Amino acid sequence: MMAYLVLILIAPSYNSFAYEGRGIQTYFTAPARFREILIAKNLVTVAILLCEIVLCVALVGWRVGLPTTPVLFATLAAIVFSIVGQLTIANWASLSYPRKIEFGKMQGQRNSGMSVLILLGMQILFGGVSGLVLVSGRWSGNPWLPAEAFAVLAAAALGGYFSSLDSFTQLAEKKKEILIDALCR
C-alpha cells in the first residue's frame, strides 16, 4: 500500500502546473511569491497523501494488526523522507520541464519526457536509500536503527525543501516566459 501511495500519488507533482493553462500568468502578477504557490500546491498533494496513508494504516491495522513500535516509527519517518524529498525534486522538475495537459482529454496526453525520467530516477534513488537503511537495521540487529536513520533523513529532507523554495522562486522568475509559453499554447 505504501508503494502505491508513494509511487502513484506523488507522480502528478512532477508536472504540477500541467492544468494551469493561461492561469499561470496570474501567479506572476499575484501579490504572493512563487514560494507560497509551491507550498500551496504541495500542501494539497500532502493532504491527499495523508488521507490515503491514514486509510491504508487503518486497513492494515484492522486486517493484520499494527507493526511493532520501531517498525511503525521507521515507516512514518520514511514516508516523511520520501514525500518531502520527492516534492522538492518535483518542484524543480515542474519549473524546468513544464508540459500543458488539457483537463478532460485522455488521448495524447503525456508528461514531459524529462519529468518522467526524473520521476523514475527519484523513485529508484529513494527506494535504494530506503532499502539500504532497512538492510542496515536488519544487519546490525538494532530494531530502532531504521527509525533513527529515517528521522535524520526526514529532517534533512524538510530542511532541503524549505531552503529550496526561495531558489525555486528565482527560477520561476527566470523561466517566466518559458512557463507561460509552454502552458498557454
Side-chain angles (χ1 to χ4, degrees):
M1 287 185 189
M2 292 304 146
Y4 152 74
L5 291 172
V6 174
L7 293 173
I8 303 299
L9 293 180
I10 202 83
S13 295
Y14 282 80
N15 192 11
S16 63
F17 300 108
Y19 297 105
E20 301 300 330
R22 295 201 182 282
I24 190 75
Q25 296 171 341
T26 60
Y27 291 152
F28 295 108
T29 59
R33 292 182 303 171
F34 221 80
R35 168 190 184 98
E36 284 86 20
I37 294 165
L38 290 172
I39 289 173
K41 286 184 162 293
N42 291 337
L43 280 176
V44 170
T45 301
V46 168
I48 291 168
L49 284 166
L50 186 63
C51 290
E52 294 276 343
I53 288 168
V54 167
L55 180 66
C56 288
V57 168
L59 285 174
V60 169
W62 175 61
R63 293 297 294 163
V64 294
L66 291 176
T68 62
T69 305
V71 172
L72 183 63
F73 280 115
T75 303
L76 294 176
I79 288 171
V80 172
F81 160 65
S82 180
I83 290 172
V84 173
Q86 288 196 57
L87 285 176
T88 304
I89 304 300
N91 286 340
W92 173 78
S94 294
L95 293 171
S96 298
Y97 305 103
R99 185 74 157 289
K100 180 180 178 181
I101 296 177
E102 291 182 35
F103 189 73
K105 183 179 174 188
M106 298 297 283
Q107 194 170 13
Q109 302 273 13
R110 292 193 184 111
N111 275 341
S112 160
M114 275 307 290
S115 291
V116 173
L117 185 62
I118 292 167
L119 168 66
L120 179 63
M122 289 300 103
Q123 298 289 352
I124 291 169
L125 177 71
F126 280 92
V129 169
S130 298
L132 286 173
V133 168
L134 294 173
V135 166
S136 67
R138 178 79 63 170
W139 179 70
S140 70
N142 182 357
W144 284 98
L145 181 65
E148 294 165 353
F150 281 129
V152 168
L153 290 171
L158 281 165
Y161 175 80
F162 286 111
S163 67
S164 70
L165 289 172
D166 288 327
S167 299
F168 292 149
T169 299
Q170 293 170 357
L171 179 64
E173 284 297 325
K174 192 168 101 178
K175 292 188 165 235
K176 181 191 306 188
E177 297 302 322
I178 295 170
L179 283 167
I180 291 171
D181 184 49
L183 298 173
C184 292
R185 284 188 262 146

